[in-house]
Amino acid sequence: MATFALNCSLFLFFSLILISDAEISSKIGVNYGQLGNNLPPPNLAIEMMNSMKVGRVKLYDANHEILGNLSKTKFQVSIMIPNNEISDIANNQTRADQWISNNVLPFYPQTMIRFILVGNEVLSFDSDKDRQVWNDLVPAMRRIWSSLKANNLQTIKVGTPVAMDILETTFPPSRGTFRSDIQQTVVAPMLNFLNETRSFFFANVYPYFSWAANPMNINLDFALFNGNFEQIDGGSGLVYTNLLDEMLDSLIFAMAKLGYPDIRLVISETGWPTAGDIEQPGANLLNAATYNRNLVKRITAKPTVGTPARPGVVIPTFIFALFDENQKPGSGTERHWGLLRSDGSPNYQIDLTGKESSVEYDPLPVVENNAPFRGRLWCVAARGVDLMELEAAVDDVCGRGDGTCEALSPGRECYEPVSVYWHASYAFSSYWSKFRSQGASCYFNGLAEQTTVDPSNGSCRFPSVTF
Ligand SMILES: *[C@@H]1O[C@H](CO)[C@@H](O)[C@H](O)[C@H]1NC(C)=O
Ligand SMILES: *[C@@H]1O[C@H](CO)[C@@H](O)[C@H](O)[C@H]1NC(C)=O
Ligand SMILES: *[C@@H]1O[C@H](CO)[C@@H](O)[C@H](O)[C@H]1NC(C)=O
Ligand SMILES: *[C@@H]1O[C@H](CO)[C@@H](O)[C@H](O)[C@H]1NC(C)=O
């Protein structure tokens, strides 16, 4: 009897550990984005994640087909409320309750939903309307949490992923400080909520972007966890061996300054692109494989490494992304973050368990774009694209009355040859060079590509961008 009681309580004890450990395990997760028109169906994608030994999966919505397909799998699942539903939920408990009863109750617990993320990088959008959403963010998180509590579902944690631009100061890490425009109004109430509900601070942390913005001053190997670096933070005396740790600790120091030294971190996104535009340095297979392999080793290491400011603490991590997504707008890297190509074949080998440290990977192609590109680039119509779509794009680019296409008017220097391809190429180059400083990229819904070859002909000079 005594033995039975002992076994029984041991069993309970271990089950409790398993439950809480499941929540904070170091198993690597992936972001399963859906912005592609050529991606495998969810059930196949899930098979792929299975064979890759992915531990958790993060969605950018609460897609019912995927949630259904994830039922009875071993994946822990993170779902997301779109940014445009935040204000409604903040203002109306019924809306929060409806969201939970539509998107959680039909699937839980067969689908192991663990995190509900309210919006994505909400604090990085900055129009008047967006700033209203900033104020609605924490109230919406609280309403979602109330609904969960009402359904006795406190095992599910509520958070919101932020980008590094939530910080005003990041370097050295001990000087980490939140942006002054949101520190008191949004961040402090958010930390209060996360602390009170024992949830996590979700951060999208990309050493790639920090390095790529400043490749002459940040050592690439420091960003790739390569080599023997020691950078000392003069403020804290802590020693850093890689850029990711510095970025994470700048968040930890910023939270501590607001009186919250213990809120756990989740890396909701990190990764490295395998390709990009000509002028985007460092986006290649070798760096992507190196970053993600080293990341996995570090996050899954036993005993747990943690960061200099928080040694030994597990940081649940989601790699961005499962697939290359061909419909992501923006510069070239955006469509090349996948561990897998859109057809499900691997971009490079990677062991996500981190256990087989002896794995010998095949060699990867030699890298030629680690230094920033210097020279001129033009943006022309890509070969082989649909001419009707191209024509529509020309109408769009040239119909704005901003002078982009003046040289294409009949009789002007670029009017001839009168072909859609020629006119589109001029329009793209002209628009890109005019508006690049305001964020325009050479993409045009996949109809454009960069070239180092000047397309100008005769008296028709194509505008270019100089790097
Ligand atoms: C996945 O979802 C689709 C559509 O809802 C369904 O037809 C299919 O049976 C599901 N597959 C599995 C393995 O659950
Ligand atoms: C709250 O939302 C519900 C469901 O959409 C709606 O019926 C109700 O009118 C809303 N209440 C307020 C005060 O807007
Ligand atoms: C954070 O939560 C802990 C545990 O509930 C509590 O003791 C502490 O006072 C909270 N910190 C703040 C700053 O509210
Ligand atoms: C360059 O311009 C000439 C004269 O308009 C034209 O005949 C020729 O086809 C053009 N070449 C290209 C590559 O467009």
Side-chain angles (χ1 to χ4, degrees):
M1 201 57 206
T3 316
F4 172 76
L6 181 65
N7 280 343
C8 188
S9 61
L10 264 181
F11 172 75
L12 275 176
F13 177 70
F14 280 114
S15 326
L16 286 174
I17 288 194
L18 282 176
I19 289 167
S20 68
D21 190 48
E23 198 180 297
I24 55 170
S25 85
S26 60
K27 282 195 182 132
I28 296 292
V30 293
N31 281 279
Y32 178 9
Q34 294 275 298
L35 297 178
N37 60 8
N38 55 359
L39 298 178
N43 54 344
L44 280 185
I46 289 166
E47 272 178 37
M48 291 167 191
M49 290 191 276
N50 245 324
S51 60
M52 293 163 81
K53 302 201 171 71
V54 163
R56 42 179 122 229
V57 54
K58 173 165 161 274
L59 308 180
Y60 288 86
D61 52 20
N63 181 302
H64 287 189
E65 184 184 0
I66 300 178
L67 287 177
N69 278 189
L70 282 167
S71 122
K72 303 200 177 102
T73 64
K74 58 186 187 338
F75 299 108
Q76 299 189 29
V77 181
S78 172
I79 58 178
M80 189 177 275
I81 298 175
N83 291 3
N84 63 13
E85 292 183 34
I86 291 172
S87 294
D88 280 349
I89 289 173
N91 291 313
N92 188 336
Q93 185 62 40
T94 310
R95 297 295 285 267
D97 297 342
Q98 283 174 344
W99 203 92
I100 296 299
S101 49
N102 291 339
N103 300 297
V104 177
L105 301 185
F107 302 102
Y108 188 90
Q110 293 83 357
T111 300
M112 292 197 288
I113 298 170
R114 286 291 178 271
F115 300 136
I116 297 179
L117 301 182
V118 179
N120 192 36
E121 299 188 348
V122 169
L123 302 172
S124 304
F125 296 90
D126 197 13
S127 71
D128 287 347
K129 197 160 161 247
D130 295 321
R131 271 182 237 116
Q132 179 53 48
V133 182
W134 296 356
N135 296 325
D136 290 333
L137 184 58
V138 179
M141 293 166 78
R142 287 200 174 273
R143 289 209 187 275
I144 291 294
W145 180 244
S146 295
S147 295
L148 289 173
K149 276 200 297 198
N151 288 286
N152 211 9
L153 291 178
Q154 292 97 316
T155 42
I156 301 177
K157 298 298 182 190
V158 177
T160 187
V162 299
M164 286 302 286
D165 64 2
I166 196 171
L167 296 181
E168 193 159 85
T169 311
T170 57
F171 188 82
S174 62
R175 294 191 55 219
T177 321
F178 289 107
R179 254 161 52 199
S180 48
D181 60 333
I182 47 174
Q183 170 155 285
Q184 290 309 324
T185 50
V186 186
V187 180
M190 182 196 300
L191 297 179
N192 183 39
F193 169 79
L194 297 176
N195 184 59
E196 175 190 321
T197 61
R198 301 184 179 280
S199 185
F200 299 78
F201 188 91
F202 292 82
N204 297 344
V205 187
Y206 287 98
Y208 168 73
F209 286 126
S210 299
W211 171 79
N214 204 351
M216 303 317 255
N217 290 317
I218 299 177
N219 189 300
L220 178 59
D221 286 321
F222 190 65
L224 294 174
F225 312 88
N226 253 349
N228 289 321
F229 284 91
E230 291 211 337
Q231 197 169 71
I232 296 175
D233 178 335
S236 64
L238 294 173
V239 177
Y240 289 87
T241 60
N242 66 81
L243 185 53
L244 180 73
D245 279 353
E246 289 191 339
M247 295 170 81
L248 295 172
D249 277 1
S250 61
L251 292 166
I252 289 172
F253 276 103
M255 287 195 277
K257 279 174 200 159
L258 288 185
Y260 298 92
D262 303 321
I263 297 175
R264 302 278 305 270
L265 286 179
V266 169
I267 301 177
S268 35
E269 292 181 10
T270 190
W272 198 285
T274 56
D277 292 328
I278 295 173
E279 85 277 7
Q280 294 188 282
N284 58 56
L285 279 173
L286 181 61
N287 292 348
T290 304
Y291 178 82
N292 281 327
R293 287 169 185 171
N294 286 338
L295 170 81
V296 170
K297 266 191 236 159
R298 195 169 178 84
I299 297 293
T300 60
K302 300 270 171 359
T304 302
V305 182
T307 71
R310 245 183 222 173
V313 178
V314 173
I315 306 171
T317 297
F318 294 86
I319 292 179
F320 190 87
L322 181 58
F323 294 114
D324 286 337
E325 295 169 67
N326 69 349
Q327 292 179 315
K328 283 201 83 192
S331 60
T333 48
E334 288 299 325
R335 292 167 290 285
H336 295 99
W337 288 90
L339 296 172
L340 306 178
R341 301 186 189 103
S342 55
D343 66 2
S345 61
N347 267 316
Y348 47 84
Q349 301 164 295
I350 185 164
D351 163 30
L352 293 182
T353 68
K355 285 194 183 112
E356 298 151 45
S357 52
S358 58
V359 177
E360 279 285 337
Y361 294 116
D362 297 337
L364 284 160
V366 174
V367 162
E368 285 167 355
N369 67 342
N370 278 347
F373 173 82
R374 293 274 171 255
R376 293 169 74 190
L377 288 177
W378 291 264
C379 181
V380 296
R383 300 276 158 194
V385 297
D386 186 278
L387 285 184
M388 302 273 280
E389 281 181 44
L390 209 50
E391 202 160 352
V394 176
D395 288 347
D396 183 32
V397 171
C398 295
R400 298 165 185 246
D402 54 19
T404 300
C405 300
E406 251 168 38
L408 291 176
S409 313
R412 289 290 303 269
E413 64 274 23
C414 295
Y415 180 62
E416 291 191 9
V418 187
S419 80
V420 178
Y421 187 83
W422 177 258
H423 279 213
S425 293
Y426 180 88
F428 291 166
S429 280
S430 177
Y431 187 84
W432 188 44
S433 82
K434 230 177 156 89
F435 296 112
R436 183 174 177 275
S437 59
Q438 292 164 44
S441 62
C442 175
Y443 176 53
F444 299 98
N445 282 324
L447 298 169
E449 66 191 16
Q450 297 179 343
T451 176
T452 54
V453 181
D454 185 356
S456 303
N457 182 14
S459 60
C460 173
R461 312 311 303 167
F462 273 51
S464 64
V465 175
T466 302
F467 291 90

